[in-house]
Amino acid sequence: MTTPADKDINSKQRIFTIGHSTVANTFFLKPLRQYGINCIVDVRSVPFSRHAPQFNKDELSKFLRKNGIRYVSMGQEFGARRDEVALYTEAGYLDFEKTRKSNRFLHGVERIEKGINCGFSIALMCTEKLAIDCHRSILVAKSFYDIGYDICHIQHDADSCTQQDLELELVKHYFPNRNAINMFTGPEEDSLSFREMVLAAYRYRNAEIGYQLHKK
């Protein structure tokens, strides 16, 4: 676990993520200040909330602007609901691996990199409180992590975890017996390396949280 005080000034470029949940906007502002974030990138496909109207696109944009923080909506690039049927699996849920390779997503990555190079400290924002439950980490942040960015998932107690921490949590969840001899596991699972478990865990999580096409 990390805090702002733990930041290495020589570390790689960093991208933050945060979930707004149903907290007050003033509470939401505190960790943004604490981590020096000056740009929120909204990765919601639908930037509105019935349960937390303070995070509707227009209201949030005005609130952040008043507090010196830029708001950018990028649901088209990074949203979890996509119009391209080819990006969905045969089972009907959005395939995150295919999505990360799509032109629109890759254009979004370029935009984020340009913003960082212009001096913005960016947090990817979505709805879910916990990063492990949200596509902002399983779909979007993983893409930046894979190309060399440090990822910092801000939690509501203002503590944070890295993408490495998240991957370990995923492996613990989907492979709880990985460090024990288990007579009930098959030979394929027994032979998986840790990195193979990580990849499999991402795919399992994708299947659980990926948007279902039939919900449209």
Side-chain angles (χ1 to χ4, degrees):
M1 308 299 284
T2 59
T3 64
D6 298 322
K7 293 179 184 178
D8 180 354
I9 60 174
N10 295 315
S11 66
K12 295 179 292 185
Q13 289 179 307
R14 180 168 296 175
I15 293 175
F16 299 87
T17 86
I18 191 169
H20 65 68
S21 187
T22 57
V23 301
N25 51 18
T26 50
F27 182 90
F28 178 77
L29 181 64
K30 290 180 181 179
L32 304 186
R33 295 285 196 221
Q34 185 174 347
Y35 284 86
I37 293 162
N38 57 19
C39 180
I40 285 289
V41 171
D42 190 342
V43 300
R44 297 175 295 176
S45 296
V46 182
F48 301 96
S49 173
R50 287 186 302 166
H51 303 292
Q54 66 273 27
F55 293 105
N56 288 347
K57 179 178 178 179
D58 291 342
E59 286 79 1
L60 178 60
S61 178
K62 291 176 184 177
F63 173 76
L64 292 174
R65 192 184 314 119
K66 289 179 180 178
N67 287 280
I69 299 174
R70 185 172 181 177
Y71 170 88
V72 181
S73 179
M74 293 186 67
Q76 289 293 315
E77 294 87 347
F78 295 137
R81 305 183 187 188
R82 319 291 289 201
D83 294 329
E84 307 96 316
V85 176
L87 296 181
Y88 289 80
T89 67
E90 291 184 1
Y93 62 85
L94 186 70
D95 187 321
F96 289 176
E97 292 178 28
K98 288 182 180 178
T99 301
R100 280 192 287 268
K101 297 175 183 177
S102 67
N103 290 335
R104 190 178 294 179
F105 188 96
L106 292 173
H107 176 64
V109 171
E110 291 178 0
R111 288 184 62 189
I112 294 293
E113 292 193 300
K114 287 180 181 177
I116 291 174
N117 290 334
C118 287
F120 286 103
S121 178
I122 294 173
L124 308 172
M125 185 205 75
C126 200
T127 301
E128 287 78 10
K129 179 179 179 180
L130 299 178
I132 198 171
D133 294 331
C134 186
H135 84 285
R136 71 179 184 270
S137 56
I138 307 301
L139 169 60
V140 188
K142 183 184 186 304
S143 179
F144 288 99
Y145 179 64
D146 287 347
I147 60 177
Y149 285 84
D150 281 336
I151 305 297
C152 177
H153 301 291
I154 302 172
Q155 301 173 161
H156 278 213
D157 58 3
D159 202 344
S160 66
C161 69
T162 66
Q163 194 75 9
Q164 295 99 312
D165 294 329
L166 183 72
E167 289 184 345
L168 182 57
E169 187 176 355
L170 285 169
V171 170
K172 286 180 178 178
H173 179 74
Y174 292 107
F175 299 95
N177 299 311
R178 69 194 186 286
N179 292 324
I181 296 175
N182 188 347
M183 62 183 296
F184 299 106
T185 61
E188 291 184 1
E189 183 171 325
D190 281 339
S191 65
L192 290 179
S193 68
F194 179 76
R195 292 312 305 172
E196 289 171 330
M197 288 183 185
V198 169
L199 178 58
Y202 273 117
R203 289 172 175 167
Y204 290 147
R205 200 62 179 161
N206 179 181
E208 290 187 356
I209 70 172
Y211 182 71
Q212 294 285 339
L213 189 60
H214 65 75
K215 290 184 179 180
K216 290 188 174 184

